[in-house]
Amino acid sequence: MIVEDEARLRLSLAGAIPWEEHGIEVVALASNGKEALQLFERKKPDILLLDVQMPEMDGLTLVRLLRERDAFLKTIILSGHDNFAYAQQAMESGVTQYLLKPAGERDILEAVAGAARELRQELDRRYNEELLRQKWIDHLPQLRAAFFERLLRGSFRPGEAQRQGAEYGLTLPEGARYAVAVVDAEPAGETLGTGAGGTRTDGARTDGVGTDDAKSDDAKADGAKADGEALGGGDRARPVDPARARFSVYLLAQALLSDADCWPFLDGQGYLAIIFTVAPDTDAQQGLLGLQALVDKLLNRAREGLGLVCSAGIGGSAEPLGELNRLYAEACLALQDRIVYGPGIAIPYREPDTCGAIATALPPLSGDQEKALEIALELGDAEAAGRALEEMWLGGLEEADTADEIMEGVLYIASQLVRFVQKQGLAIKEVLGDHYASFLNPSQLTTRDKIRAWLESSTAEIAAYQARRRKSSRHQFVETLLRIAQEEIDQEVTLHTAAERLFVNPSYLSRLFKQEMGQTFSAYVLELKMEKAKAALSDGAKVYDAARMVGYRDVSYFTKVFRKYWGVTPGGMKP
């Protein structure tokens, strides 16, 4: 923030020095200390460039008041008083640097840039303190869960996962193989209670017969068991919230598998996902058997300790890190087979006996194609959305052999389109128009070509609608800025004052304007003013009148700006 009572100098400091090239943004201008004090609460500047002698409130009083509100505030005095007492008093008030007028633009820029560097160093030191380390530790479980979620989605390039995992304290050996299991608690109605005589209502005994003798594991799981009792475990059978049940199983897994070489976490679908490490010298099948034994133990402990029936799906093999997304998809598919085999068991993935099954082509995990479609629709890019849809089509529906397989794929893709529209807070009928009827009754599409054409046109319609929304939103702000610049050309027009009137963040508005117009707002306003001034002078206007016409009250400052822009003085412009 620049605080200077002399208007000409204030405007020159703001406009003549290339602040942005040095990563510095001028957020406010004030003509006195009192005005600066009011602006400070709204603008929150990091650095203050100010005069000492000003009306309403002097600079040193302002510095003392603002330093009480922001101990990190950097202040640079620009004073016309070559007085040691002033300088000493300024330094005692916490002033970073004391410059004498008339200081050169380079000296001022270097002083402000130096204050910025000093501020960044202080903030770096602050965020390296114990508080930040503690916050890092507190948030590490969530950061690791997000990392594993990306890992299962195949979002990392080769070698990137090991590097980023190391940042979270995770060791992912390059030569190791990995296996994946997913666990889910059954719906609330499946929660188990205890019947008379120590027998569960489903016939399973609770006296320890048929379970592992693992008292130490039980001791580790005391916290999860207590949570499970609150959920309805033990002798109380009652419906429980699925999210709480899953979280309770997650806590149990953390305790029970703490000594195993694995990482349990809750994935984006609400499942408990577990990534197991299989050492390079271990047979892959033996590794999977050990994994299944651990998962069986987890399901048994969830039943016995928490009163929850859980099912698990296990990926079909142990593979290198880059194959985790496939193994995860396999585990999710295996988990779906609980419909066939019943709940409460761990189900290994088996390759389907028949080819072309739509479940194989479209696994429950949203892959790159689905994500590409969503991103393209969000950006309103109809061409990219069409390419993503084509890949989805070729990946599943093109080779489907039966009507049921085709319709299942259609419902899968259509549901993605519907979810996207709903996420935007829009009405499906409004966005899709004539295509809406087929969403209500897709069976009326009687050929493969009609289905494909309908999906392509619906996707294009959604992308076009989103593009119109984005463009309309952008143009509304930009057009308002253009109108302000043109209608108020005889006034001082800045991006920050315009942003306040539009109730928009000035940084966002600046980037938006540059994207649309190819230049900054300040450059556009300057060009507009200089063109109008040149035209007025060419028509015979006096220099004073031309300056007033484009918002310059100081003729000498106008002359300086005009000469810098056109290479000649205003007086050199002939009618």
Side-chain angles (χ1 to χ4, degrees):
M1 179 164 64
I2 297 172
V3 188
E4 168 62 55
D5 59 331
E6 186 181 344
R8 175 185 173 185
L9 179 55
R10 183 172 65 251
L11 293 174
S12 179
L13 289 171
I17 299 176
W19 300 112
E20 293 182 358
E21 295 178 9
H22 296 267
I24 297 167
E25 180 183 4
V26 178
V27 297
L29 304 177
S31 59
N32 57 66
K34 186 176 181 181
E35 182 184 356
L37 195 62
Q38 296 172 345
L39 282 171
F40 184 83
E41 294 303 321
R42 298 206 320 257
K43 297 299 185 178
K44 303 296 183 184
D46 299 305
I47 302 172
L48 206 63
L49 177 62
L50 74 162
D51 193 3
V52 174
Q53 295 293 340
M54 293 182 294
E56 302 289 344
M57 180 186 297
D58 68 89
L60 295 184
T61 301
L62 174 64
V63 170
R64 284 192 290 269
L65 290 174
L66 293 184
R67 289 277 295 180
E68 291 175 359
R69 304 184 188 188
D70 184 355
F72 288 94
L73 179 69
K74 299 299 176 185
T75 53
I76 299 168
I77 292 291
L78 188 60
S79 173
H81 295 275
D82 187 6
N83 186 301
F84 176 75
Y86 267 113
Q88 185 178 27
Q89 190 178 0
M91 295 306 170
E92 290 173 353
S93 301
V95 170
T96 306
Q97 196 161 345
Y98 193 97
L99 300 177
L100 291 175
K101 297 179 181 177
E105 293 179 358
R106 179 180 294 276
D107 293 334
I108 296 171
L109 176 59
E110 288 179 353
V112 175
R117 287 192 299 271
E118 184 178 338
L119 176 62
R120 294 187 184 104
Q121 291 170 359
E122 290 181 9
L123 292 175
D124 285 342
R125 286 194 295 270
R126 178 187 183 188
Y127 286 113
N128 282 328
E129 294 175 355
E130 184 61 32
L131 178 61
L132 181 61
R133 288 196 295 270
Q134 186 58 49
K135 286 184 177 294
W136 171 261
I137 293 172
D138 292 343
H139 288 82
L140 194 55
Q142 294 92 330
L143 292 170
R144 284 179 171 177
F147 166 77
F148 286 128
E149 179 76 12
R150 292 185 63 202
L151 190 61
L152 291 183
R153 293 185 181 278
S155 301
F156 292 107
R157 296 187 297 272
E160 185 181 6
Q162 285 88 349
R163 179 190 60 76
Q164 193 168 120
E167 295 176 2
Y168 300 137
L170 301 168
T171 302
L172 301 170
E174 186 69 38
R177 288 165 297 168
Y178 301 87
V180 179
V182 292
V183 180
D184 192 25
E186 296 304 311
E190 298 294 336
T191 302
L192 296 178
T194 305
T199 305
R200 296 284 182 182
T201 54
D202 68 340
R205 294 186 58 81
T206 61
D207 55 7
V209 176
T211 64
D212 295 332
D213 185 10
K215 294 182 180 179
S216 60
D217 290 332
D218 290 336
K220 291 178 184 177
D222 280 344
K225 181 174 181 179
D227 191 17
E229 289 173 350
L231 289 168
D235 291 338
R236 290 171 291 177
R238 65 183 182 188
V240 297
D241 175 63
R244 290 186 62 200
R246 289 165 173 167
F247 185 70
S248 184
V249 177
Y250 162 66
L251 295 178
L252 176 63
Q254 281 189 315
L256 188 64
L257 304 176
S258 61
D259 294 332
D261 198 0
C262 65
W263 300 284
F265 62 97
L266 293 172
D267 70 3
Q269 301 184 84
Y271 296 154
L272 166 63
I274 310 173
I275 299 176
F276 293 85
T277 301
V278 179
D281 57 350
T282 302
D283 179 75
Q285 292 304 316
Q286 290 297 324
L288 287 177
L289 288 176
L291 178 158
Q292 183 155 346
L294 287 173
V295 173
D296 284 337
K297 177 181 284 190
L298 175 62
L299 300 189
N300 186 57
R301 289 292 184 270
R303 179 192 296 269
E304 298 295 326
L306 305 181
L308 294 171
V309 176
C310 294
S311 304
I314 300 174
S317 58
E319 301 290 348
L321 201 61
E323 296 295 321
L324 276 181
N325 58 332
R326 176 175 62 81
L327 298 179
Y328 175 68
E330 291 177 356
C332 291
L333 285 171
L335 181 62
Q336 289 183 347
D337 283 343
R338 59 183 161 175
I339 299 172
V340 178
Y341 300 112
I345 60 174
I347 306 168
Y349 174 77
R350 293 292 180 266
E351 291 288 344
D353 294 332
T354 58
C355 298
I358 196 67
T360 302
L362 297 172
L365 175 67
S366 296
D368 294 339
Q369 297 163 353
E370 290 87 345
K371 192 64 178 177
L373 177 60
E374 182 180 356
I375 292 173
L377 291 175
E378 178 67 36
L379 296 175
D381 188 341
E383 184 178 348
R387 289 196 302 269
L389 178 66
E390 183 179 9
E391 290 182 10
M392 293 172 67
W393 180 274
L394 295 175
L397 290 173
E398 184 70 23
E399 302 300 326
D401 295 324
T402 69
D404 286 342
E405 290 174 351
I406 294 174
M407 194 51 60
E408 187 171 352
V410 168
L411 292 175
Y412 184 89
I413 297 175
S415 67
Q416 276 203 298
L417 299 178
V418 169
R419 285 198 305 271
F420 174 82
V421 173
Q422 290 176 333
K423 280 170 63 177
Q424 308 305 309
L426 302 172
I428 300 170
K429 187 174 183 179
E430 176 189 352
V431 176
L432 291 169
D434 295 338
H435 305 293
Y436 177 69
S438 295
F439 276 87
L440 298 177
N441 186 19
S443 61
Q444 66 182 326
L445 302 169
T446 56
T447 69
R448 195 191 301 257
D449 290 340
K450 286 182 179 179
I451 291 173
R452 183 167 185 174
W454 168 64
L455 288 173
E456 289 173 347
S457 57
S458 297
T459 301
E461 189 67 32
I462 295 172
Y465 192 98
Q466 181 71 355
R468 290 193 297 271
R469 287 182 71 211
R470 291 171 65 90
K471 189 174 182 180
S472 174
S473 174
R474 289 198 303 265
H475 282 178
Q476 181 181 359
F477 287 131
V478 174
E479 287 173 1
T480 302
L481 281 176
L482 295 176
R483 187 172 64 253
I484 290 174
Q486 293 166 359
E487 294 177 355
E488 300 177 13
I489 195 171
D490 60 339
Q491 304 174 34
E492 181 184 343
V493 181
T494 69
L495 182 70
H496 292 279
T497 56
E500 286 187 349
R501 290 160 62 176
L502 295 173
F503 303 100
V504 180
N505 183 287
S507 297
Y508 164 75
L509 198 60
S510 174
R511 184 168 298 182
L512 190 62
F513 188 92
K514 190 169 184 179
Q515 287 176 346
E516 289 292 317
M517 301 299 296
Q519 62 181 148
T520 64
F521 180 70
S522 59
Y524 174 82
V525 171
L526 179 63
E527 179 182 351
L528 201 65
K529 288 176 179 287
M530 292 299 101
E531 289 287 356
K532 185 168 183 178
K534 178 182 177 182
L537 292 167
S538 298
D539 290 338
K542 295 181 179 179
V543 174
Y544 175 81
D545 292 331
R548 299 280 294 184
M549 195 180 300
V550 293
Y552 290 88
R553 301 296 179 263
D554 189 321
V555 176
S556 60
Y557 180 65
F558 166 73
T559 300
K560 178 182 177 182
V561 174
F562 189 94
R563 182 173 54 203
K564 185 175 182 181
Y565 188 89
W566 289 114
V568 296
T569 63
M573 299 299 298
K574 301 298 181 182

